Amino acid sequence: MSAQDINCLQNSFQKAINMSGSPGIVSTSPTQSFMNTLPRRLSTSKQSKALKPFSTGDIKILLLENVNTAAIQIFKEQGYQVDFYKSSLPEEDLIEKIKDVHAIGIRSKTKLTANVLQHARNLVVIGCFCIGTNQVDLDYAANMGVAVFNSPFSNSRSVAELVIAEIISLARQLGDRSIELHTGTWNKVSARCWEIRGKTLGIIGYGHIGSQLSVLAEAMGMHVIYYDIVTIMALGTAKQVSTLDELLNKSDFVSLHVPETSETKNMLSFPQFAAMKDGAYVINASRGTVVDIPALVQAMQAGKIAGAALDVYPNEPGKNGANTYNDDLNSWTSQLVSLPNVILTPHIGGSTEEAQSAIGIEVAHSLSKYINEGNSVGSVNFPEVSLRSLDFDQENTVRVLYIHRNVPGVLKTVNNILSSHNIEKQFSDSNGDIAYLIADISQVNQSDIKNIYDELNQTSAKISIRLLY
Ligand SMILES: NC(=O)C1=CN([C@@H]2O[C@H](COP(=O)(O)OP(=O)(O)OC[C@H]3O[C@@H](n4cnc5c(N)ncnc54)[C@H](O)[C@@H]3O)[C@@H](O)[C@H]2O)C=CC1
Ligand SMILES: O=C(O)CCC(=O)C(=O)O
């Protein structure tokens, strides 16, 4: 089939079903020239067919917060329209922008709340170009049929290395000495400056980052203990302790690596600082809600805590710039900045060239695979479903992506609709209230596809449908 034939088919098909270009409705194949630009995916020894939900250039992606250029390049190679911003957007601008896009890429600052998402009438997928997904209302997104992807470990090493730097910096009061010398003061002291060799590091949350940190800290001669809500195999000679209190009682340095949840809110507050060793140090590169900062300020003023390094805050500025970190943002800021031996960094734990480019590539690929093929493997809020690609020469085949409520009887209804055609392959899974079915149907013509769409669209459990071919 020539490129002209394919274009004709797209045009006539679009007219036949009176489509508006909305991703929820139906899809068209790409032009041949566009398909020639895509890497050929192989299924066994055959060439795979590149599925594409829209004509080239129809997919609109909004990228915020300076998502890495590697991602922009991948999206542009796919033929998507990319709208790129270095910072996050104020909520009203975000609501305006999100109305028309099919995908959005964010980092940790952009809050995709129900209030924002309800305006996203064309949204198919969200990419968090980071580890944390607490900034997205995951349930709301799932209930509107929007899959969310993140990068679960591409910046873990960068965070662990930052924390190592902070442990030594706090032990040697490096921040203060540097500030003093920058302002002309020579202050050569050894009082309350320590080696870290032989000291105990208590890690709260022994996941990807906590366990990396454990290995690095042991290599520098530290003893490592950790507390986690699940039992996790210790690396090296680290030891899991059974209570948070035990960790706090025994640690010289306490470093937090837990997600933001209702359980981790103010996980370190007045009682926990009281339980810590005199002169201990606190490091938080997880989320700003995990440490009660006014309680930390008091514990430091009382001399209980000898130093702290913070990378994250309950409220963070939406963009870089002078005079953005102040009491208007968090009421205790001026108290915190006036304390000695406090290292404050602007949420840069994952901000290395290596991490950002790896995240850019990983999340851009996840989004593209979901948009182009319906593959949800790795999604954080969706059932994980994938089907092997269609063969390159498979004509008259449609891939049905049917996201629905997880209620009894749905598969019977759907398979009744599909059963008069040839179901080549099918896969379905559920995750809580949401279920997702992918099926490849062969020997279908344009009117079959329209009928399949119309019939599925009338099913009561439907959340959203996409058809790819
Ligand atoms: N500062 C920065 O730039 C970055 C910050 N982060 C933050 O670090 C967090 C941790 O990242 P990962 O290690 O990759 O996550 P992870 O999911 O691999 O590990 C988190 C660990 O915390 C444990 N945990 C959860 N709730 C707990 C609780 N109440 N008490 C004790 N343990 C609990 C989990 O069981 C898990 O082992 C992320 O959720 C993110 O918020 C992640 C990357 C960069
Ligand atoms: O680099 C970022 O924007 C966010 C890093 C982070 O906190 C995360 O990956 O969860």
Side-chain angles (χ1 to χ4, degrees):
M1 189 182 273
S2 70
Q4 204 180 1
D5 291 339
I6 292 174
N7 278 330
C8 272
L9 183 64
Q10 285 178 335
N11 290 339
S12 60
F13 184 53
Q14 285 191 348
K15 278 183 197 138
I17 60 164
N18 191 23
M19 67 183 281
S20 65
S22 159
I25 297 183
V26 81
S27 61
T28 65
S29 299
T31 60
Q32 190 66 55
S33 59
F34 175 71
M35 282 164 63
N36 288 341
T37 66
L38 292 178
R40 300 269 188 259
R41 291 182 286 270
L42 296 181
S43 75
T44 61
S45 61
K46 291 184 182 170
Q47 277 189 334
S48 305
K49 178 175 177 174
L51 291 164
K52 193 84 172 61
F54 306 93
S55 301
T56 304
D58 276 355
I59 293 267
K60 292 184 186 157
I61 296 209
L62 175 63
L63 293 181
L64 304 177
E65 301 186 54
N66 206 17
V67 161
N68 191 261
T69 50
I72 301 174
Q73 195 177 334
I74 290 168
F75 291 138
K76 286 197 168 158
E77 279 165 11
Q78 295 291 320
Y80 304 159
Q81 293 173 42
V82 177
D83 195 8
F84 170 84
Y85 292 82
K86 282 203 156 193
S87 64
S88 58
L89 294 176
E91 189 175 81
E92 60 205 49
D93 297 354
L94 179 60
I95 287 174
E96 210 39 52
K97 288 271 172 199
I98 209 169
K99 279 180 182 161
D100 294 327
V101 297
H102 307 109
I104 179 168
I106 59 168
R107 289 170 65 181
S108 56
K109 304 278 184 303
T110 304
K111 306 268 181 266
L112 293 179
T113 57
N115 186 41
V116 172
L117 289 173
Q118 65 175 322
H119 299 278
R121 54 193 171 212
N122 288 342
L123 197 63
V124 172
V125 65
I126 295 169
C128 297
F129 286 76
C130 53
I131 291 179
T133 52
N134 54 291
Q135 68 281 34
V136 180
D137 190 331
L138 297 176
D139 288 342
Y140 190 90
N143 276 295
M144 59 190 279
V146 173
V148 181
F149 293 86
N150 72 341
S151 172
F153 46 76
S154 292
N155 65 15
S156 316
R157 173 72 185 203
S158 301
V159 180
E161 288 188 10
L162 178 73
V163 173
I164 289 292
E166 290 174 338
I167 291 171
I168 299 175
S169 301
L170 290 173
R172 301 293 293 274
Q173 303 176 2
L174 286 190
D176 289 359
R177 293 299 86 78
S178 176
I179 290 171
E180 286 158 5
L181 216 49
H182 274 273
T183 50
T185 302
W186 185 270
N187 187 19
K188 183 174 161 81
V189 290
S190 54
R192 293 183 300 284
C193 291
W194 315 98
E195 291 185 351
I196 63 164
R197 177 172 52 167
K199 305 297 185 298
T200 298
L201 169 64
I203 299 175
I204 305 177
Y206 203 68
H208 290 113
I209 298 172
S211 55
Q212 276 275 323
L213 174 63
S214 171
V215 173
L216 297 177
E218 282 202 339
M220 296 196 308
M222 299 189 83
H223 303 302
V224 175
I225 56 177
Y226 60 93
Y227 169 71
D228 201 291
I229 40 168
V230 295
T231 303
I232 299 183
M233 186 187 79
L235 298 179
T237 58
K239 287 198 175 44
Q240 183 158 11
V241 295
S242 48
T243 63
L244 180 58
D245 261 4
E246 185 180 349
L247 179 135
L248 298 173
N249 294 161
K250 290 183 173 163
S251 301
D252 300 298
F253 295 82
V254 171
S255 192
L256 292 139
H257 301 287
V258 288
E260 178 180 284
T261 64
S262 48
E263 288 78 35
T264 62
K265 189 173 167 59
N266 289 337
M267 200 174 186
L268 294 192
S269 187
F270 293 100
Q272 290 72 34
F273 291 123
M276 286 174 70
K277 280 179 157 184
D278 290 345
Y281 302 88
V282 173
I283 297 161
N284 185 20
S286 62
R287 283 291 178 264
T289 51
V290 173
V291 174
D292 179 354
I293 306 276
L296 173 67
V297 168
Q298 275 199 29
M300 290 195 70
Q301 283 166 342
K304 176 77 183 174
I305 301 300
L310 304 178
D311 187 44
V312 287
Y313 310 90
N315 300 307
E316 298 180 0
K319 56 182 179 193
N320 289 346
N323 305 319
T324 48
Y325 186 74
N326 52 33
D327 282 356
D328 293 338
L329 190 69
N330 295 295
S331 58
W332 34 254
T333 303
S334 46
Q335 277 183 294
L336 186 67
V337 298
S338 65
L339 291 168
N341 211 15
V342 171
I343 297 170
L344 300 173
T345 47
H347 202 150
I348 52 165
S351 297
T352 61
E353 298 283 358
E354 291 91 339
Q356 290 309 309
S357 109
I359 290 171
I361 292 167
E362 184 184 5
V363 181
H365 277 138
S366 300
L367 263 51
S368 304
K369 276 185 89 67
Y370 184 71
I371 292 168
N372 295 354
E373 297 178 20
N375 183 336
S376 65
V377 172
S379 169
V380 295
N381 70 334
F382 244 50
E384 296 189 73
V385 170
S386 82
L387 273 191
R388 71 176 187 279
S389 305
L390 292 169
D391 292 337
F392 190 66
D393 53 3
Q394 254 178 308
E395 299 290 341
N396 304 325
T397 303
V398 65
R399 174 163 290 186
V400 175
L401 310 176
Y402 179 74
I403 299 159
H404 61 94
R405 311 237 159 265
N406 186 18
V407 291
V410 178
L411 289 187
K412 187 174 165 196
T413 311
V414 171
N415 280 324
N416 267 341
I417 295 168
L418 302 181
S419 60
S420 50
H421 306 285
N422 187 30
I423 304 175
E424 293 267 345
K425 48 194 186 297
Q426 190 177 50
F427 191 95
S428 145
D429 200 354
S430 63
N431 180 358
D433 294 339
I434 307 300
Y436 182 24
L437 174 139
I438 306 191
D440 284 347
I441 317 294
S442 64
Q443 298 169 23
V444 282
N445 59 31
Q446 289 173 45
S447 84
D448 294 330
I449 293 174
K450 177 171 165 23
N451 288 341
I452 290 172
Y453 175 78
D454 285 344
E455 287 181 52
L456 288 175
N457 199 30
Q458 280 162 29
T459 53
S460 58
K462 175 212 88 167
I463 294 177
S464 72
I465 310 168
R466 289 195 298 140
L467 301 184
L468 309 179
Y469 74 107

